[in-house]
Amino acid sequence: MGLFDKLFKKGELKEEPKAEQTQVQQAKEVEAVGWDAIEKEFLRVYPGQNNPKHYGTIIKWIMGGDDPLDGISVYDGGDFWHFVSFGLTEIYEKECEDPEISGYGYELTFKLKKNQFEDEEAEIKCICGILQMVARMVFKNGDVFLPFEYLYTGQTVGIDAHRKSNLTGFITIKDPTVETIDTPNGKVEFLELIGMTDAELKTLSDRASVEALYNKLQSDVTDYHRESVV
């Protein structure tokens, strides 16, 4: 069984009401300077999107829940959805000893091409589940990811909600859409996941091979319907 097969059994996500976003607002009352800095950068890229789709965890990690991320926001990029996580960096108070870096130093992002999905909400929640899964690997195992690395599980089912896509794993890059930011809690970078086919993943061996494959792909938007480039 693949690593992604039980995503929704490990944690629960719910979309926050746009009008209220009560859980987010309550959390942000606790001096959420890191959270605010992330939102400010995404508002620079997507002006006017002050209330993007937001999925908060029902039971926080600190309260014994399974989901390390306090939330995931989804911005409308036109022909794709742009996801960003909140929780791998210090989104509230400063706790780590290193004053230069906020938490693990990065948040996760993902760009999903809009494809007239049978159930778009299910596909968005699927990606939220995957981002929580990757964050869980960081929190539990100390697996800190860098640009031009890859996540290969050997599974053959797709990463989409219906497990039909040819994309079965991921590579990582520095998100080219948003910039590294300085927050009161330290520096925050944005590490983007890109969906890859099994054939593509089997060609990878080091960071140089990942970078070469990314250059061949010529896009950082994950398209469930694209063909393999190898």
PDB file of all heavy atoms in Angstrom, residues 51-85:
ATOM      1  N   ASN A  51      -9.521  36.893   1.586  1.00  0.00           N
ATOM      2  CA  ASN A  51     -10.204  35.738   2.180  1.00  0.00           C
ATOM      3  C   ASN A  51     -10.147  34.537   1.246  1.00  0.00           C
ATOM      4  O   ASN A  51     -11.166  34.111   0.700  1.00  0.00           O
ATOM      5  CB  ASN A  51     -11.658  36.085   2.499  1.00  0.00           C
ATOM      6  CG  ASN A  51     -11.790  37.071   3.632  1.00  0.00           C
ATOM      7  OD1 ASN A  51     -11.330  36.797   4.739  1.00  0.00           O
ATOM      8  ND2 ASN A  51     -12.392  38.213   3.373  1.00  0.00           N
ATOM      9  N   PRO A  52      -8.948  33.967   1.052  1.00  0.00           N
ATOM     10  CA  PRO A  52      -8.857  32.777   0.196  1.00  0.00           C
ATOM     11  C   PRO A  52      -9.509  31.578   0.880  1.00  0.00           C
ATOM     12  O   PRO A  52      -9.846  31.627   2.077  1.00  0.00           O
ATOM     13  CB  PRO A  52      -7.337  32.567   0.075  1.00  0.00           C
ATOM     14  CG  PRO A  52      -6.804  33.098   1.370  1.00  0.00           C
ATOM     15  CD  PRO A  52      -7.665  34.301   1.685  1.00  0.00           C
ATOM     16  N   LYS A  53      -9.685  30.507   0.118  1.00  0.00           N
ATOM     17  CA  LYS A  53     -10.129  29.259   0.745  1.00  0.00           C
ATOM     18  C   LYS A  53      -9.134  28.921   1.849  1.00  0.00           C
ATOM     19  O   LYS A  53      -7.930  29.035   1.661  1.00  0.00           O
ATOM     20  CB  LYS A  53     -10.143  28.112  -0.263  1.00  0.00           C
ATOM     21  CG  LYS A  53     -11.258  28.162  -1.306  1.00  0.00           C
ATOM     22  CD  LYS A  53     -11.084  27.014  -2.305  1.00  0.00           C
ATOM     23  CE  LYS A  53     -12.213  26.939  -3.303  1.00  0.00           C
ATOM     24  NZ  LYS A  53     -13.464  26.435  -2.699  1.00  0.00           N
ATOM     25  N   HIS A  54      -9.636  28.500   2.996  1.00  0.00           N
ATOM     26  CA  HIS A  54      -8.724  28.137   4.082  1.00  0.00           C
ATOM     27  C   HIS A  54      -9.228  26.874   4.770  1.00  0.00           C
ATOM     28  O   HIS A  54     -10.419  26.764   5.081  1.00  0.00           O
ATOM     29  CB  HIS A  54      -8.584  29.252   5.113  1.00  0.00           C
ATOM     30  CG  HIS A  54      -7.553  28.936   6.164  1.00  0.00           C
ATOM     31  ND1 HIS A  54      -6.200  29.153   5.962  1.00  0.00           N
ATOM     32  CD2 HIS A  54      -7.677  28.367   7.383  1.00  0.00           C
ATOM     33  CE1 HIS A  54      -5.541  28.745   7.028  1.00  0.00           C
ATOM     34  NE2 HIS A  54      -6.413  28.260   7.908  1.00  0.00           N
ATOM     35  N   TYR A  55      -8.316  25.942   5.001  1.00  0.00           N
ATOM     36  CA  TYR A  55      -8.641  24.668   5.635  1.00  0.00           C
ATOM     37  C   TYR A  55      -7.846  24.553   6.935  1.00  0.00           C
ATOM     38  O   TYR A  55      -6.622  24.465   6.921  1.00  0.00           O
ATOM     39  CB  TYR A  55      -8.327  23.503   4.695  1.00  0.00           C
ATOM     40  CG  TYR A  55      -9.151  23.561   3.429  1.00  0.00           C
ATOM     41  CD1 TYR A  55      -8.772  24.384   2.372  1.00  0.00           C
ATOM     42  CD2 TYR A  55     -10.337  22.836   3.312  1.00  0.00           C
ATOM     43  CE1 TYR A  55      -9.552  24.473   1.221  1.00  0.00           C
ATOM     44  CE2 TYR A  55     -11.122  22.927   2.180  1.00  0.00           C
ATOM     45  CZ  TYR A  55     -10.718  23.741   1.134  1.00  0.00           C
ATOM     46  OH  TYR A  55     -11.494  23.836   0.003  1.00  0.00           O
ATOM     47  N   GLY A  56      -8.564  24.585   8.046  1.00  0.00           N
ATOM     48  CA  GLY A  56      -7.919  24.487   9.345  1.00  0.00           C
ATOM     49  C   GLY A  56      -8.040  23.088   9.913  1.00  0.00           C
ATOM     50  O   GLY A  56      -8.977  22.348   9.602  1.00  0.00           O
ATOM     51  N   THR A  57      -7.100  22.705  10.751  1.00  0.00           N
ATOM     52  CA  THR A  57      -7.158  21.392  11.389  1.00  0.00           C
ATOM     53  C   THR A  57      -8.164  21.434  12.533  1.00  0.00           C
ATOM     54  O   THR A  57      -8.281  22.432  13.242  1.00  0.00           O
ATOM     55  CB  THR A  57      -5.783  20.979  11.939  1.00  0.00           C
ATOM     56  OG1 THR A  57      -5.289  22.025  12.781  1.00  0.00           O
ATOM     57  CG2 THR A  57      -4.803  20.739  10.821  1.00  0.00           C
ATOM     58  N   ILE A  58      -8.898  20.346  12.705  1.00  0.00           N
ATOM     59  CA  ILE A  58      -9.903  20.274  13.755  1.00  0.00           C
ATOM     60  C   ILE A  58      -9.236  20.095  15.114  1.00  0.00           C
ATOM     61  O   ILE A  58      -9.587  20.761  16.088  1.00  0.00           O
ATOM     62  CB  ILE A  58     -10.886  19.124  13.468  1.00  0.00           C
ATOM     63  CG1 ILE A  58     -11.672  19.424  12.187  1.00  0.00           C
ATOM     64  CG2 ILE A  58     -11.847  18.926  14.640  1.00  0.00           C
ATOM     65  CD1 ILE A  58     -12.592  18.311  11.756  1.00  0.00           C
ATOM     66  N   ILE A  59      -8.274  19.180  15.197  1.00  0.00           N
ATOM     67  CA  ILE A  59      -7.530  18.970  16.440  1.00  0.00           C
ATOM     68  C   ILE A  59      -6.069  19.318  16.176  1.00  0.00           C
ATOM     69  O   ILE A  59      -5.397  18.651  15.400  1.00  0.00           O
ATOM     70  CB  ILE A  59      -7.643  17.511  16.944  1.00  0.00           C
ATOM     71  CG1 ILE A  59      -9.111  17.119  17.127  1.00  0.00           C
ATOM     72  CG2 ILE A  59      -6.891  17.340  18.263  1.00  0.00           C
ATOM     73  CD1 ILE A  59      -9.308  15.675  17.536  1.00  0.00           C
ATOM     74  N   LYS A  60      -5.593  20.373  16.809  1.00  0.00           N
ATOM     75  CA  LYS A  60      -4.233  20.851  16.588  1.00  0.00           C
ATOM     76  C   LYS A  60      -3.196  19.825  17.058  1.00  0.00           C
ATOM     77  O   LYS A  60      -3.432  19.040  17.978  1.00  0.00           O
ATOM     78  CB  LYS A  60      -4.004  22.172  17.324  1.00  0.00           C
ATOM     79  CG  LYS A  60      -5.006  23.266  16.996  1.00  0.00           C
ATOM     80  CD  LYS A  60      -4.849  23.753  15.586  1.00  0.00           C
ATOM     81  CE  LYS A  60      -5.756  24.954  15.330  1.00  0.00           C
ATOM     82  NZ  LYS A  60      -5.713  25.384  13.927  1.00  0.00           N
ATOM     83  N   TRP A  61      -2.027  19.870  16.429  1.00  0.00           N
ATOM     84  CA  TRP A  61      -0.914  18.996  16.791  1.00  0.00           C
ATOM     85  C   TRP A  61      -0.557  19.153  18.267  1.00  0.00           C
ATOM     86  O   TRP A  61      -0.335  18.171  18.980  1.00  0.00           O
ATOM     87  CB  TRP A  61       0.289  19.336  15.913  1.00  0.00           C
ATOM     88  CG  TRP A  61       1.505  18.505  16.123  1.00  0.00           C
ATOM     89  CD1 TRP A  61       2.551  18.746  16.966  1.00  0.00           C
ATOM     90  CD2 TRP A  61       1.835  17.278  15.459  1.00  0.00           C
ATOM     91  NE1 TRP A  61       3.501  17.767  16.874  1.00  0.00           N
ATOM     92  CE2 TRP A  61       3.084  16.845  15.944  1.00  0.00           C
ATOM     93  CE3 TRP A  61       1.183  16.510  14.485  1.00  0.00           C
ATOM     94  CZ2 TRP A  61       3.705  15.685  15.497  1.00  0.00           C
ATOM     95  CZ3 TRP A  61       1.803  15.342  14.039  1.00  0.00           C
ATOM     96  CH2 TRP A  61       3.048  14.943  14.541  1.00  0.00           C
ATOM     97  N   ILE A  62      -0.530  20.389  18.728  1.00  0.00           N
ATOM     98  CA  ILE A  62      -0.160  20.669  20.115  1.00  0.00           C
ATOM     99  C   ILE A  62      -1.187  20.113  21.098  1.00  0.00           C
ATOM    100  O   ILE A  62      -0.894  19.895  22.272  1.00  0.00           O
ATOM    101  CB  ILE A  62       0.020  22.199  20.318  1.00  0.00           C
ATOM    102  CG1 ILE A  62       0.787  22.468  21.614  1.00  0.00           C
ATOM    103  CG2 ILE A  62      -1.307  22.918  20.305  1.00  0.00           C
ATOM    104  CD1 ILE A  62       1.200  23.913  21.802  1.00  0.00           C
ATOM    105  N   MET A  63      -2.402  19.839  20.590  1.00  0.00           N
ATOM    106  CA  MET A  63      -3.460  19.279  21.430  1.00  0.00           C
ATOM    107  C   MET A  63      -3.566  17.762  21.274  1.00  0.00           C
ATOM    108  O   MET A  63      -4.517  17.141  21.749  1.00  0.00           O
ATOM    109  CB  MET A  63      -4.807  19.914  21.065  1.00  0.00           C
ATOM    110  CG  MET A  63      -4.843  21.419  21.193  1.00  0.00           C
ATOM    111  SD  MET A  63      -4.708  21.969  22.914  1.00  0.00           S
ATOM    112  CE  MET A  63      -6.315  21.457  23.522  1.00  0.00           C
ATOM    113  N   GLY A  64      -2.585  17.172  20.588  1.00  0.00           N
ATOM    114  CA  GLY A  64      -2.576  15.727  20.405  1.00  0.00           C
ATOM    115  C   GLY A  64      -3.136  15.254  19.085  1.00  0.00           C
ATOM    116  O   GLY A  64      -3.299  14.053  18.872  1.00  0.00           O
ATOM    117  N   GLY A  65      -3.432  16.180  18.169  1.00  0.00           N
ATOM    118  CA  GLY A  65      -3.945  15.817  16.854  1.00  0.00           C
ATOM    119  C   GLY A  65      -2.866  15.270  15.939  1.00  0.00           C
ATOM    120  O   GLY A  65      -1.675  15.315  16.268  1.00  0.00           O
ATOM    121  N   ASP A  66      -3.268  14.769  14.785  1.00  0.00           N
ATOM    122  CA  ASP A  66      -2.329  14.151  13.849  1.00  0.00           C
ATOM    123  C   ASP A  66      -1.807  15.113  12.785  1.00  0.00           C
ATOM    124  O   ASP A  66      -0.923  14.754  12.019  1.00  0.00           O
ATOM    125  CB  ASP A  66      -2.998  12.967  13.134  1.00  0.00           C
ATOM    126  CG  ASP A  66      -3.235  11.786  14.073  1.00  0.00           C
ATOM    127  OD1 ASP A  66      -2.357  11.528  14.919  1.00  0.00           O
ATOM    128  OD2 ASP A  66      -4.283  11.137  13.952  1.00  0.00           O
ATOM    129  N   ASP A  67      -2.366  16.311  12.710  1.00  0.00           N
ATOM    130  CA  ASP A  67      -1.997  17.239  11.642  1.00  0.00           C
ATOM    131  C   ASP A  67      -1.101  18.355  12.171  1.00  0.00           C
ATOM    132  O   ASP A  67      -1.543  19.184  12.971  1.00  0.00           O
ATOM    133  CB  ASP A  67      -3.250  17.838  11.002  1.00  0.00           C
ATOM    134  CG  ASP A  67      -4.072  16.792  10.264  1.00  0.00           C
ATOM    135  OD1 ASP A  67      -3.458  15.854   9.719  1.00  0.00           O
ATOM    136  OD2 ASP A  67      -5.307  16.917  10.227  1.00  0.00           O
ATOM    137  N   PRO A  68       0.158  18.407  11.729  1.00  0.00           N
ATOM    138  CA  PRO A  68       1.099  19.410  12.235  1.00  0.00           C
ATOM    139  C   PRO A  68       0.774  20.841  11.794  1.00  0.00           C
ATOM    140  O   PRO A  68       1.097  21.789  12.499  1.00  0.00           O
ATOM    141  CB  PRO A  68       2.448  18.972  11.641  1.00  0.00           C
ATOM    142  CG  PRO A  68       2.240  17.580  11.170  1.00  0.00           C
ATOM    143  CD  PRO A  68       0.803  17.475  10.810  1.00  0.00           C
ATOM    144  N   LEU A  69       0.171  20.983  10.599  1.00  0.00           N
ATOM    145  CA  LEU A  69      -0.108  22.314  10.084  1.00  0.00           C
ATOM    146  C   LEU A  69      -1.374  22.870  10.720  1.00  0.00           C
ATOM    147  O   LEU A  69      -2.399  22.190  10.767  1.00  0.00           O
ATOM    148  CB  LEU A  69      -0.270  22.266   8.559  1.00  0.00           C
ATOM    149  CG  LEU A  69       0.922  21.702   7.779  1.00  0.00           C
ATOM    150  CD1 LEU A  69       0.565  21.587   6.301  1.00  0.00           C
ATOM    151  CD2 LEU A  69       2.162  22.575   7.974  1.00  0.00           C
ATOM    152  N   ASP A  70      -1.303  24.109  11.178  1.00  0.00           N
ATOM    153  CA  ASP A  70      -2.497  24.734  11.753  1.00  0.00           C
ATOM    154  C   ASP A  70      -3.516  25.075  10.680  1.00  0.00           C
ATOM    155  O   ASP A  70      -4.705  25.196  10.961  1.00  0.00           O
ATOM    156  CB  ASP A  70      -2.111  26.004  12.518  1.00  0.00           C
ATOM    157  CG  ASP A  70      -1.683  25.695  13.939  1.00  0.00           C
ATOM    158  OD1 ASP A  70      -1.351  24.531  14.211  1.00  0.00           O
ATOM    159  OD2 ASP A  70      -1.681  26.619  14.778  1.00  0.00           O
ATOM    160  N   GLY A  71      -3.052  25.242   9.462  1.00  0.00           N
ATOM    161  CA  GLY A  71      -3.977  25.549   8.382  1.00  0.00           C
ATOM    162  C   GLY A  71      -3.285  25.582   7.034  1.00  0.00           C
ATOM    163  O   GLY A  71      -2.046  25.589   6.947  1.00  0.00           O
ATOM    164  N   ILE A  72      -4.089  25.591   5.987  1.00  0.00           N
ATOM    165  CA  ILE A  72      -3.614  25.674   4.604  1.00  0.00           C
ATOM    166  C   ILE A  72      -4.538  26.632   3.871  1.00  0.00           C
ATOM    167  O   ILE A  72      -5.752  26.469   3.907  1.00  0.00           O
ATOM    168  CB  ILE A  72      -3.625  24.298   3.921  1.00  0.00           C
ATOM    169  CG1 ILE A  72      -2.679  23.330   4.640  1.00  0.00           C
ATOM    170  CG2 ILE A  72      -3.241  24.426   2.440  1.00  0.00           C
ATOM    171  CD1 ILE A  72      -2.873  21.873   4.260  1.00  0.00           C
ATOM    172  N   SER A  73      -3.967  27.634   3.220  1.00  0.00           N
ATOM    173  CA  SER A  73      -4.764  28.560   2.412  1.00  0.00           C
ATOM    174  C   SER A  73      -4.581  28.240   0.937  1.00  0.00           C
ATOM    175  O   SER A  73      -3.519  27.753   0.520  1.00  0.00           O
ATOM    176  CB  SER A  73      -4.366  30.013   2.686  1.00  0.00           C
ATOM    177  OG  SER A  73      -4.855  30.440   3.938  1.00  0.00           O
ATOM    178  N   VAL A  74      -5.611  28.522   0.151  1.00  0.00           N
ATOM    179  CA  VAL A  74      -5.605  28.203  -1.277  1.00  0.00           C
ATOM    180  C   VAL A  74      -5.998  29.455  -2.052  1.00  0.00           C
ATOM    181  O   VAL A  74      -7.135  29.919  -1.984  1.00  0.00           O
ATOM    182  CB  VAL A  74      -6.583  27.055  -1.602  1.00  0.00           C
ATOM    183  CG1 VAL A  74      -6.418  26.627  -3.062  1.00  0.00           C
ATOM    184  CG2 VAL A  74      -6.374  25.871  -0.664  1.00  0.00           C
ATOM    185  N   TYR A  75      -5.034  30.007  -2.797  1.00  0.00           N
ATOM    186  CA  TYR A  75      -5.251  31.227  -3.564  1.00  0.00           C
ATOM    187  C   TYR A  75      -5.573  30.893  -5.021  1.00  0.00           C
ATOM    188  O   TYR A  75      -5.112  29.878  -5.558  1.00  0.00           O
ATOM    189  CB  TYR A  75      -4.012  32.121  -3.494  1.00  0.00           C
ATOM    190  CG  TYR A  75      -3.791  32.717  -2.113  1.00  0.00           C
ATOM    191  CD1 TYR A  75      -3.168  31.981  -1.112  1.00  0.00           C
ATOM    192  CD2 TYR A  75      -4.215  34.008  -1.813  1.00  0.00           C
ATOM    193  CE1 TYR A  75      -2.972  32.506   0.159  1.00  0.00           C
ATOM    194  CE2 TYR A  75      -4.028  34.551  -0.545  1.00  0.00           C
ATOM    195  CZ  TYR A  75      -3.409  33.796   0.429  1.00  0.00           C
ATOM    196  OH  TYR A  75      -3.222  34.322   1.687  1.00  0.00           O
ATOM    197  N   ASP A  76      -6.350  31.756  -5.638  1.00  0.00           N
ATOM    198  CA  ASP A  76      -6.771  31.558  -7.025  1.00  0.00           C
ATOM    199  C   ASP A  76      -5.736  32.176  -7.954  1.00  0.00           C
ATOM    200  O   ASP A  76      -5.606  33.400  -8.036  1.00  0.00           O
ATOM    201  CB  ASP A  76      -8.138  32.206  -7.247  1.00  0.00           C
ATOM    202  CG  ASP A  76      -8.746  31.827  -8.589  1.00  0.00           C
ATOM    203  OD1 ASP A  76      -8.018  31.365  -9.482  1.00  0.00           O
ATOM    204  OD2 ASP A  76      -9.976  32.005  -8.742  1.00  0.00           O
ATOM    205  N   GLY A  77      -4.982  31.315  -8.663  1.00  0.00           N
ATOM    206  CA  GLY A  77      -3.949  31.786  -9.582  1.00  0.00           C
ATOM    207  C   GLY A  77      -4.417  31.898 -11.019  1.00  0.00           C
ATOM    208  O   GLY A  77      -3.596  31.997 -11.925  1.00  0.00           O
ATOM    209  N   GLY A  78      -5.728  31.857 -11.246  1.00  0.00           N
ATOM    210  CA  GLY A  78      -6.262  31.944 -12.606  1.00  0.00           C
ATOM    211  C   GLY A  78      -6.575  30.571 -13.151  1.00  0.00           C
ATOM    212  O   GLY A  78      -7.699  30.086 -13.024  1.00  0.00           O
ATOM    213  N   ASP A  79      -5.570  29.901 -13.716  1.00  0.00           N
ATOM    214  CA  ASP A  79      -5.794  28.547 -14.232  1.00  0.00           C
ATOM    215  C   ASP A  79      -5.277  27.483 -13.273  1.00  0.00           C
ATOM    216  O   ASP A  79      -5.216  26.306 -13.605  1.00  0.00           O
ATOM    217  CB  ASP A  79      -5.171  28.373 -15.616  1.00  0.00           C
ATOM    218  CG  ASP A  79      -3.651  28.543 -15.596  1.00  0.00           C
ATOM    219  OD1 ASP A  79      -3.109  29.023 -14.576  1.00  0.00           O
ATOM    220  OD2 ASP A  79      -3.007  28.193 -16.607  1.00  0.00           O
ATOM    221  N   PHE A  80      -4.903  27.900 -12.060  1.00  0.00           N
ATOM    222  CA  PHE A  80      -4.462  26.932 -11.057  1.00  0.00           C
ATOM    223  C   PHE A  80      -4.799  27.456  -9.665  1.00  0.00           C
ATOM    224  O   PHE A  80      -5.051  28.646  -9.453  1.00  0.00           O
ATOM    225  CB  PHE A  80      -2.954  26.655 -11.168  1.00  0.00           C
ATOM    226  CG  PHE A  80      -2.082  27.877 -10.938  1.00  0.00           C
ATOM    227  CD1 PHE A  80      -1.689  28.251  -9.657  1.00  0.00           C
ATOM    228  CD2 PHE A  80      -1.659  28.647 -12.000  1.00  0.00           C
ATOM    229  CE1 PHE A  80      -0.899  29.368  -9.446  1.00  0.00           C
ATOM    230  CE2 PHE A  80      -0.862  29.773 -11.808  1.00  0.00           C
ATOM    231  CZ  PHE A  80      -0.482  30.137 -10.529  1.00  0.00           C
ATOM    232  N   TRP A  81      -4.802  26.532  -8.692  1.00  0.00           N
ATOM    233  CA  TRP A  81      -4.942  26.864  -7.277  1.00  0.00           C
ATOM    234  C   TRP A  81      -3.561  26.842  -6.643  1.00  0.00           C
ATOM    235  O   TRP A  81      -2.787  25.907  -6.867  1.00  0.00           O
ATOM    236  CB  TRP A  81      -5.850  25.857  -6.567  1.00  0.00           C
ATOM    237  CG  TRP A  81      -7.278  25.860  -7.011  1.00  0.00           C
ATOM    238  CD1 TRP A  81      -7.936  24.900  -7.741  1.00  0.00           C
ATOM    239  CD2 TRP A  81      -8.252  26.879  -6.757  1.00  0.00           C
ATOM    240  NE1 TRP A  81      -9.241  25.266  -7.950  1.00  0.00           N
ATOM    241  CE2 TRP A  81      -9.472  26.477  -7.363  1.00  0.00           C
ATOM    242  CE3 TRP A  81      -8.218  28.098  -6.078  1.00  0.00           C
ATOM    243  CZ2 TRP A  81     -10.624  27.238  -7.304  1.00  0.00           C
ATOM    244  CZ3 TRP A  81      -9.376  28.864  -6.017  1.00  0.00           C
ATOM    245  CH2 TRP A  81     -10.554  28.434  -6.623  1.00  0.00           C
ATOM    246  N   HIS A  82      -3.248  27.852  -5.842  1.00  0.00           N
ATOM    247  CA  HIS A  82      -1.936  27.971  -5.208  1.00  0.00           C
ATOM    248  C   HIS A  82      -2.096  27.757  -3.699  1.00  0.00           C
ATOM    249  O   HIS A  82      -2.666  28.586  -3.001  1.00  0.00           O
ATOM    250  CB  HIS A  82      -1.337  29.348  -5.500  1.00  0.00           C
ATOM    251  CG  HIS A  82       0.134  29.445  -5.235  1.00  0.00           C
ATOM    252  ND1 HIS A  82       0.884  30.534  -5.629  1.00  0.00           N
ATOM    253  CD2 HIS A  82       1.008  28.597  -4.640  1.00  0.00           C
ATOM    254  CE1 HIS A  82       2.147  30.348  -5.281  1.00  0.00           C
ATOM    255  NE2 HIS A  82       2.245  29.183  -4.666  1.00  0.00           N
ATOM    256  N   PHE A  83      -1.584  26.647  -3.202  1.00  0.00           N
ATOM    257  CA  PHE A  83      -1.690  26.269  -1.791  1.00  0.00           C
ATOM    258  C   PHE A  83      -0.475  26.773  -1.010  1.00  0.00           C
ATOM    259  O   PHE A  83       0.648  26.765  -1.522  1.00  0.00           O
ATOM    260  CB  PHE A  83      -1.724  24.746  -1.640  1.00  0.00           C
ATOM    261  CG  PHE A  83      -2.896  24.058  -2.277  1.00  0.00           C
ATOM    262  CD1 PHE A  83      -3.037  23.991  -3.658  1.00  0.00           C
ATOM    263  CD2 PHE A  83      -3.866  23.434  -1.497  1.00  0.00           C
ATOM    264  CE1 PHE A  83      -4.109  23.334  -4.249  1.00  0.00           C
ATOM    265  CE2 PHE A  83      -4.941  22.767  -2.069  1.00  0.00           C
ATOM    266  CZ  PHE A  83      -5.063  22.724  -3.449  1.00  0.00           C
ATOM    267  N   VAL A  84      -0.681  27.142   0.250  1.00  0.00           N
ATOM    268  CA  VAL A  84       0.435  27.466   1.142  1.00  0.00           C
ATOM    269  C   VAL A  84       0.095  26.977   2.546  1.00  0.00           C
ATOM    270  O   VAL A  84      -1.038  27.094   3.010  1.00  0.00           O
ATOM    271  CB  VAL A  84       0.760  28.981   1.159  1.00  0.00           C
ATOM    272  CG1 VAL A  84      -0.433  29.798   1.638  1.00  0.00           C
ATOM    273  CG2 VAL A  84       1.992  29.259   2.026  1.00  0.00           C
ATOM    274  N   SER A  85       1.082  26.402   3.211  1.00  0.00           N
ATOM    275  CA  SER A  85       0.884  25.862   4.551  1.00  0.00           C
ATOM    276  C   SER A  85       1.225  26.893   5.622  1.00  0.00           C
ATOM    277  O   SER A  85       1.967  27.857   5.390  1.00  0.00           O
ATOM    278  CB  SER A  85       1.756  24.610   4.742  1.00  0.00           C
ATOM    279  OG  SER A  85       3.130  24.953   4.809  1.00  0.00           O
TER     280      SER A  85
END
